[in-house]
Amino acid sequence: MSGELCSVRPLFGGAISTVFPQRFQDVSNIRQVPDHQEVFVDPSRDESLIFELLDFKTEVGDIGSASWFLNDLAREQDAEGLQLIEQSEIVEAPGLSYRNIPAVATTAIGEMAISKGRQGREAQNLVRVYVANLRLKGVDTDVLVTAYEPILINPLSESADAVASGLAVPASQSGIMPMCDVIKQSLSTFKVNDWNLFGSSA
């Protein structure tokens, strides 16, 4: 683990909190972000961490739910060549149960080729994507935590302006926490401070 500075970060007006490195900046300070999302980026590495609150998907089973969301993200972003690298078993999240209704979590890791914003396929970057799905069944909510880590930056991509094209410099060489640990830390410290965030479900 790196010695990088991490801090408690309030999400959704402080109704949720979690811990991750300070190098990640709140995108809502730069542009508008949908109300159901919190988006953080490290522009110097083109890495991002996204928290989303979604209506509970009853049609998706707990087993492999994170993989389902990973496939859904790939479709939404018109990604190519999605490869599922790893998916977890279901684990209980006892600190996130509501009215004794248990919460569960699954994770998945994949790699895909994605273009930035409205750029075309000729500008695709190869990206590793970490997805965690926290299923808060007591409040009918699927929490999605997604971390994006570039592996190869295309010279035609917007990202090349900030990060330089070619193979991304591994976090270990830069003395910072790798994204696999960033998402693990944000999950292990994820806490609901105000269940009223979830409205009538709570």
Side-chain angles (χ1 to χ4, degrees), residues 132-189:
N133 176 211
L134 302 172
R135 314 208 82 188
L136 308 185
K137 298 182 180 187
V139 287
D140 296 327
T141 300
D142 271 314
V143 178
L144 206 58
V145 184
T146 313
Y148 291 87
E149 177 182 53
I151 298 169
L152 185 65
I153 303 281
N154 187 317
L156 298 176
S157 169
E158 288 172 14
S159 306
D161 299 340
V163 188
S165 59
L167 283 169
V169 178
S172 54
Q173 282 182 31
S174 305
I176 56 175
M177 190 185 292
M179 286 306 275
C180 58
D181 290 335
V182 170
I183 194 165
K184 275 181 200 161
Q185 184 188 46
S186 68
L187 292 173
S188 65
T189 56

Side-chain angles (χ1 to χ4, degrees), residues 7-180:
S7 59
V8 177
R9 311 288 280 265
L11 307 176
F12 305 104
I16 291 173
S17 60
T18 183
V19 174
F20 53 89
Q22 288 181 359
R23 64 189 170 91
F24 287 92
Q25 303 165 14
D26 188 342
V27 168
S28 67
N29 294 331
I30 305 157
R31 64 172 169 80
Q32 201 163 6
V33 171
D35 287 347
H36 70 287
Q37 285 185 352
E38 291 274 15
V39 182
F40 299 86
V41 296
D42 177 354
S44 69
R45 292 184 57 80
D46 201 35
E47 292 176 342
S48 54
L49 185 62
I50 300 169
F51 300 86
E52 279 183 274
L53 304 179
L54 305 170
D55 290 334
F56 189 81
K57 297 235 174 314
T58 50
E59 70 276 19
V60 178
D62 292 343
I63 296 169
S65 67
S67 304
W68 186 91
F69 280 109
L70 179 65
N71 275 289
D72 193 49
L73 283 172
R75 270 194 308 275
E76 267 180 29
Q77 298 182 34
D78 201 20
E80 290 188 317
L82 170 63
Q83 276 189 300
L84 180 65
I85 294 169
E86 190 182 298
Q87 61 179 335
S88 74
E89 302 288 312
I90 299 169
V91 292
E92 277 217 22
L96 296 173
S97 63
Y98 182 75
R99 290 187 179 155
N100 295 324
I101 301 171
V104 297
T106 60
T107 58
I109 303 169
E111 286 181 6
M112 59 180 93
I114 316 176
S115 307
K116 281 287 248 200
R118 294 183 183 170
Q119 289 196 290
R121 294 193 168 189
E122 71 285 349
Q124 285 178 332
N125 298 321
L126 182 61
V127 179
R128 180 164 287 186
V129 184
Y130 303 84
V131 174
N133 176 211
L134 302 172
R135 314 208 82 188
L136 308 185
K137 298 182 180 187
V139 287
D140 296 327
T141 300
D142 271 314
V143 178
L144 206 58
V145 184
T146 313
Y148 291 87
E149 177 182 53
I151 298 169
L152 185 65
I153 303 281
N154 187 317
L156 298 176
S157 169
E158 288 172 14
S159 306
D161 299 340
V163 188
S165 59
L167 283 169
V169 178
S172 54
Q173 282 182 31
S174 305
I176 56 175
M177 190 185 292
M179 286 306 275
C180 58

